[in-house]
Amino acid sequence: MSSPSLICVGKIKDAHGIKGELYAFLWSGKADWLSNFTHLYLNSLQKERLSISDCEGLEVERARPHKKGLIVLTKSIADRTKAEENKGKFVYIPESWLVSKRGDNYFLHEIMGFEVINGEQSIGKIEAFSSNGAQDLIIVNTNSGKKEIPLVEAFIIRLDFDKKCLMMHLPEGLLDL
C-alpha cells in the first residue's frame, strides 16, 4: 500500500523568536486546514506532490496564523538555531485536506492537467502553477512552449470539473508575450 500523497503548500521563510518556532509562508496566504494540522512535513525539494515517506515529519505542538502563513512550534525543534536549519525547506500537507466541495472555491492542484480552452481553441494543458505576487498563474504547455496565464475571474468563462477543462477568454496578444 502506498503512503498518502502530500501537496506543497508553502515554504519555511525563517525562524521566529528564540524558542524554535518556524514561520511558514503559505502560497495561498491562509490555512483552512489548520484544525487538522498535527504534523509539519518538510522537504528541501519543491515538487507538486510527494509521499509522506519522502518528507521529514515533525509533530506540531501548536500553530497559529501569522501574516501570509503560520507560526509553527514543533515538539522536536527547541531553539532558534535548530529552527534556522529548516529555512528554505518546503511545507507539505496531505492532499486529502485540500478537496473543495462543489460550489466552493477550488484548490489549484484540483485543476492540474485540465485542458485550457481560449474561445473555441484548445491551447494546452495546465502543468504547473506560479504567482506574480498579485495573482495566481497557470503554466500551460502550448504548441509554442510554456505560457504563464493569469488565473483571474475576468478571464475565466467556466471551469468544468466533469470535462476537466477551463474555458477562458484571454486578451488578444497575451499568449504572444
Side-chain angles (χ1 to χ4, degrees):
M1 185 164 118
S2 65
S3 61
S5 185
L6 300 176
I7 296 288
C8 186
V9 294
K11 184 176 187 177
I12 301 297
K13 291 300 266 184
D14 213 344
H16 181 83
I18 61 171
K19 296 184 179 180
E21 291 178 307
L22 301 166
Y23 170 51
F25 174 79
L26 301 176
W27 310 140
S28 71
K30 59 184 177 175
D32 297 336
W33 39 262
L34 193 55
S35 62
N36 297 329
F37 199 45
T38 59
H39 286 79
L40 175 66
Y41 296 100
L42 301 175
N43 192 299
S44 56
L45 299 174
Q46 181 183 11
K47 294 193 171 188
E48 182 69 24
R49 285 180 174 76
L50 288 174
S51 70
I52 286 178
S53 61
D54 292 328
C55 290
E56 175 185 6
L58 305 172
E59 192 172 352
V60 173
E61 190 167 312
R62 69 175 176 267
R64 67 181 189 281
H66 180 73
K67 296 182 182 177
K68 291 190 174 212
L70 301 172
I71 299 295
V72 181
L73 179 64
T74 68
K75 293 186 177 185
S76 57
I77 299 175
D79 60 44
R80 184 175 183 90
T81 303
K82 280 293 208 191
E84 287 174 343
E85 292 174 8
N86 290 285
K87 186 175 178 180
K89 290 185 179 177
F90 294 92
V91 176
Y92 291 83
I93 63 170
E95 183 175 13
S96 62
W97 295 358
L98 299 176
V99 177
S100 61
K101 295 178 178 77
R102 201 174 270 287
D104 282 353
N105 289 333
Y106 53 89
F107 295 101
L108 292 179
H109 79 275
E110 293 180 289
I111 63 170
M112 177 69 80
F114 275 36
E115 181 178 10
V116 178
I117 300 171
N118 182 32
E120 305 261 331
Q121 179 184 357
S122 174
I123 58 173
K125 294 193 181 222
I126 299 171
E127 69 172 35
F129 304 97
S130 186
S131 174
N132 63 11
Q135 62 219 356
D136 291 323
L137 303 171
I138 55 175
I139 300 173
V140 179
N141 193 5
T142 71
N143 289 337
S144 59
K146 294 181 185 182
K147 302 289 182 180
E148 290 185 339
I149 300 170
L151 187 62
V152 294
E153 286 296 320
F155 297 169
I156 299 172
I157 296 171
R158 194 174 78 209
L159 181 60
D160 189 327
F161 279 90
D162 294 329
K163 294 181 180 175
K164 296 188 182 279
C165 66
L166 172 61
M167 276 77 68
M168 302 184 86
H169 179 73
L170 301 175
E172 193 170 323
L174 179 75
L175 295 175
D176 298 328
L177 298 175

